[in-house]
Amino acid sequence: MIGGGWRAEFYIRIAKALPERFRIRSILVRDEQKGRELEAKWGIRTVRTLQQFAAEAKHFSFAVVSVPRTAAPNIIRELTELGIPILAETPPAVDLAALAELCGSLPRDVKIQVAEQYLFQPMHAARIRIARSGKLGEVSQVQVSAAHDYHGISLIRQLLGVGFDAATISGEQFESKLMKGPSRQGDPLEEQMVQSVQRIATFRFGDKLALYDFTGDQYFSWIRRSRMLVRGSKGELINNEISYLEDYATPIYTELRRVDTGHHGNLEGYYHRGVMAEGEWLYNNPVAPARLSDDEIAIATCLLHMGDYVAGARPSFYSLADAAQDQYLALLMDQAITTGQSIKTEKQVWNHL
């Protein structure tokens, strides 16, 4: 792995929870003190240079690149030249110019995927399966309030099935007062009012519509919850509730039911097993019975998929082109919100990858 920040520690926790599935050979961290701290905390060897890192390439399956988006393109290119398969963190580059340059500079046969995890979170994976199942009919609208920028947009494209379709984007921003809640640093220590910034945007993909609505407080807040709507010609999904027509005269009402063990008197241990609806498993946790959060389960799924992809046992699961498109749409959304003008997408170099 390259990088040793907050996000990189997700991968470390996953590897420690699943030693029979994953092993981190070494971590490239250029800062000496940070490297020593990681070694003391996790017991994993760290190196300081790309040459030291690449010298062990024959001992690992692929490299995880978990560095700031400004640094990622150069590292990705360097690893590509060394023939090392890459699982890159999101987003792969900071702006449109950097995205285009990165995608245009890599050979077509490069082994690279991007660790966009939201589509692999248990409930989102179940929702995507329902959207694609045909039960809702032709899906024409989604409303996503679950993740920021490119993460939220990745869910929109997956649920609508729009691929690289052209879009027209409009947006605005709204601020309101909110009692400060938890953060990466932990629970609040005192009562404090802060400004909550809400970003709202619409994406029109021809005859399909998406509404993006998110405030960063949702990731940690006790009182700001995520919301999802998937609307089709024969039914809709609202959060975990599903209603659809079996035929023109027979409505069916059901729900996504999360199955976790270890509750009350259950002695299986505490972990997530999967998601069901109407007696069918829509999602099975591939790393059960490890005790991981939904986000960690999703990242572990990316790691499993990457191992299969490198071995030739799985096709692309979230390509560099997909990651570039989601980041591109996020950049245009920011522009639409900032200027108050509607913006249309244009074809980009990665559309031909």
Side-chain angles (χ1 to χ4, degrees):
M1 184 165 65
I2 299 179
W6 180 81
R7 195 62 186 171
E9 292 204 0
F10 279 70
Y11 295 92
I12 299 175
R13 289 196 298 271
I14 291 164
K16 291 295 184 180
L18 293 157
E20 74 282 4
R21 310 288 285 275
F22 308 115
R23 180 188 173 196
I24 300 177
R25 180 79 184 186
S26 63
I27 304 176
L28 170 55
V29 183
R30 300 190 189 279
D31 182 87
E32 180 80 22
Q33 182 178 347
K34 179 65 175 177
R36 297 305 173 206
E37 290 173 353
L38 283 172
E39 289 181 351
K41 183 176 181 179
W42 297 105
I44 301 173
R45 177 172 173 265
T46 65
V47 296
R48 302 290 166 265
T49 69
L50 187 62
Q51 289 71 29
Q52 291 173 307
F53 184 82
E56 299 187 357
K58 64 181 180 180
H59 298 297
F60 55 77
S61 302
F62 57 89
V64 171
V65 176
S66 183
V67 299
R69 64 192 72 180
T70 51
N74 284 338
I75 292 175
I76 289 171
R77 279 189 283 265
E78 289 173 338
L79 292 176
T80 298
E81 291 172 1
L82 294 168
I84 297 174
I86 303 158
L87 179 63
E89 256 293 353
T90 55
V94 66
D95 55 27
L96 178 56
L99 286 169
E101 183 180 1
L102 174 62
C103 292
S105 65
L106 299 180
R108 287 188 175 273
D109 61 348
V110 63
K111 284 285 188 179
I112 181 170
Q113 296 288 287
V114 179
E116 174 52 59
Q117 79 273 25
Y118 276 83
L119 61 156
F120 300 120
Q121 285 188 6
M123 295 303 291
H124 291 326
R127 293 181 181 110
I128 291 169
R129 183 166 175 182
I130 286 291
R132 295 176 177 176
S133 70
K135 284 188 175 181
L136 305 183
E138 182 181 351
V139 175
S140 59
Q141 183 183 157
V142 300
Q143 297 180 18
V144 173
S145 180
H148 75 280
D149 294 346
Y150 42 88
H151 290 310
I153 291 169
S154 74
L155 288 174
I156 284 172
R157 288 205 306 126
Q158 292 288 328
L159 290 164
L160 273 183
V162 292
F164 299 95
D165 296 10
T168 301
I169 308 167
S170 302
E172 61 180 292
Q173 184 167 295
F174 176 74
E175 295 189 18
S176 61
K177 290 182 179 180
L178 177 69
M179 183 73 74
K180 186 177 181 180
S183 66
R184 288 186 186 182
Q185 288 69 46
D187 291 352
L189 301 177
E190 61 183 2
E191 181 176 314
Q192 182 182 358
M193 282 290 179
V194 296
Q195 285 296 110
S196 176
V197 179
Q198 182 179 7
R199 292 160 62 85
I200 303 170
T202 58
F203 295 78
R204 288 189 174 272
F205 300 93
D207 58 356
K208 296 184 178 183
L209 173 68
L211 174 69
Y212 168 101
D213 178 2
F214 192 70
T215 167
D217 312 291
Q218 288 175 230
Y219 282 133
F220 290 93
S221 178
W222 292 318
I223 58 174
R224 291 288 185 264
R225 298 185 181 182
S226 296
R227 304 177 308 285
M228 301 283 286
L229 167 69
V230 182
R231 181 166 286 170
S233 57
K234 296 196 298 183
E236 68 180 22
L237 181 153
I238 301 178
N239 296 331
N240 298 340
E241 297 183 357
I242 307 167
S243 55
Y244 68 95
L245 295 172
E246 189 172 73
D247 57 50
Y248 75 95
T250 311
I252 303 295
Y253 304 102
T254 186
E255 65 178 2
L256 299 177
R257 182 176 179 83
R258 184 187 181 98
V259 181
D260 294 327
T261 63
H263 291 228
H264 308 299
N266 180 274
L267 300 179
E268 293 180 78
Y270 188 70
Y271 65 92
H272 175 63
R273 185 176 287 279
V275 180
M276 300 187 76
E278 297 184 275
E280 176 188 4
W281 286 105
L282 296 177
Y283 170 83
N284 290 282
N285 179 4
V287 293
R291 293 180 62 177
L292 298 172
S293 69
D294 283 5
D295 206 49
E296 290 165 340
I297 290 171
I299 296 169
T301 303
C302 290
L303 290 169
L304 291 172
H305 287 351
M306 185 64 186
D308 290 341
Y309 170 75
V310 171
R314 172 182 288 275
S316 172
F317 57 93
Y318 186 79
S319 67
L320 178 61
D322 280 312
Q325 184 72 7
D326 288 334
Q327 170 69 337
Y328 171 53
L329 292 176
L331 292 168
L332 292 189
M333 177 179 71
D334 182 70
Q335 185 179 342
I337 290 172
T338 301
T339 64
Q341 299 178 346
S342 293
I343 297 175
K344 293 184 178 182
T345 61
E346 300 177 352
K347 283 191 175 295
Q348 300 297 326
V349 62
W350 56 82
N351 295 152
H352 308 292
L353 295 180

